[in-house]
């Protein structure tokens, strides 16, 4: 997520420091509006505040910080077959901007954004230098049955639970990756809205 982070005194701080402060459980981020760009300011949480509030903020901050630390790194070794038997690898993805959606069948938030991500794939289908790929936890048989009712206009790679958990270290779903045409991770995002905004900004540049 692209944003400007401010401390409690409204001074600009790095994203890394912003996430570190949120991970302490002592702050809550508040969005400042109106702004052309996202601006969040940290506010101290009262000691008597409900501990569940702190726990929720810390978990979200942890996930976002982990995503932030992946940016600029090469996407991990990848060599798997999609549900049609076509092999997709780091080599076959080279030279293309790759949009990756990580999900599973019983993830309500993952399925809820299907219409939007399908529209996104359709929006850029004229781009030969873009590839829309999805990694799913489920087996090919499960996915073929499910996708017959709820289509996803991405290339679908089945049985990716171990890879997503142990290689990508994902804690929440859906998670979206944007890779550049050299296989580097440009952005890691947690929802369609952030994905769409990031793509528009990146492709404009």
């Amino acid at each position: 997520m692209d944003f400007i982070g401010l401390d409690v005194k409204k001074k600009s701080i790095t994203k890394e420091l912003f996430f570190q402060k949120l991970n302490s459980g002592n702050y809550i981020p508040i969005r400042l509006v109106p702004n052309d760009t996202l601006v969040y300011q940290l506010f101290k949480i009262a000691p008597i505040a409900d501990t569940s509030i702190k726990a929720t903020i810390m978990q979200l901050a942890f996930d976002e910080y982990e995503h932030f630390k992946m940016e600029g790194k090469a996407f991990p070794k990848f060599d798997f077959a999609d549900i049609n038997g076509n092999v997709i690898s780091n080599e076959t993805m080279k030279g293309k901007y790759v949009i990756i959606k990580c999900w599973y069948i019983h993830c309500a938030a993952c399925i809820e954004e299907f219409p939007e991500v399908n529209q996104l794939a359709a929006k850029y289908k004229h781009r030969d230098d873009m590839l829309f790929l999805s990694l799913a936890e489920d087996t090919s048989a499960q996915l073929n049955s499910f996708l017959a009712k709820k289509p996803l206009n991405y290339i679908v790679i089945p049985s990716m639970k171990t890879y997503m958990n142990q290689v990508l270290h994902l804690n929440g779903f859906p998670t979206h990756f944007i890779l550049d045409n050299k296989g580097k991770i440009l952005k890691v995002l947690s929802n369609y809205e952030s994905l769409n905004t990031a793509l528009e900004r990146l492709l404009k540049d």
Side-chain angles (χ1 to χ4, degrees), residues 10 28 37 50 62 70 79 99 102 112-113 125 132-133 160 164 173 191 194 198-199:
K10 283 195 173 183
I28 185 170
T37 56
D50 191 325
F62 176 81
M70 295 174 78
D79 190 0
I99 293 80
C102 300
E112 186 178 343
E113 65 176 16
K125 68 179 181 180
F132 286 80
L133 182 70
M160 296 300 293
M164 290 191 286
F173 295 88
N191 55 60
S194 299
L199 269 181

Side-chain angles (χ1 to χ4, degrees), residues 1-109:
M1 176 172 63
D2 284 321
F3 68 94
I4 296 172
L6 307 178
D7 64 13
V8 293
K9 295 181 179 179
K10 283 195 173 183
K11 290 184 178 180
S12 180
I13 56 177
T14 65
K15 287 185 182 179
E16 185 168 10
L17 182 56
F18 189 88
F19 288 130
Q20 288 174 352
K21 286 183 175 293
L22 284 180
N23 272 302
S24 72
N26 297 319
Y27 300 90
I28 185 170
I30 302 295
R31 182 179 177 184
L32 304 183
V33 291
N35 273 292
D36 292 333
T37 56
L38 287 177
V39 179
Y40 287 93
Q41 183 181 349
L42 295 174
F43 288 84
K44 274 276 193 179
I45 296 178
I48 60 172
D50 191 325
T51 55
S52 65
I53 295 175
K54 293 184 178 183
T56 300
I57 291 173
M58 289 174 67
Q59 182 59 57
L60 291 172
F62 176 81
D63 290 344
E64 290 294 337
Y65 186 34
E66 291 302 303
H67 292 170
F68 170 71
K69 289 191 293 185
M70 295 174 78
E71 292 178 9
K73 296 182 178 179
F75 193 73
K77 181 175 173 54
F78 191 87
D79 190 0
F80 301 98
D82 68 16
I83 55 175
N84 297 314
N86 302 306
V87 174
I88 309 293
S89 69
N90 300 84
E91 284 301 312
T92 63
M93 294 189 293
K94 191 173 291 185
K96 296 179 182 292
Y97 288 91
V98 185
I99 293 80
I100 301 173
K101 172 182 169 70
C102 300
W103 67 289
Y104 59 96
I105 285 173
H106 296 294
C107 167

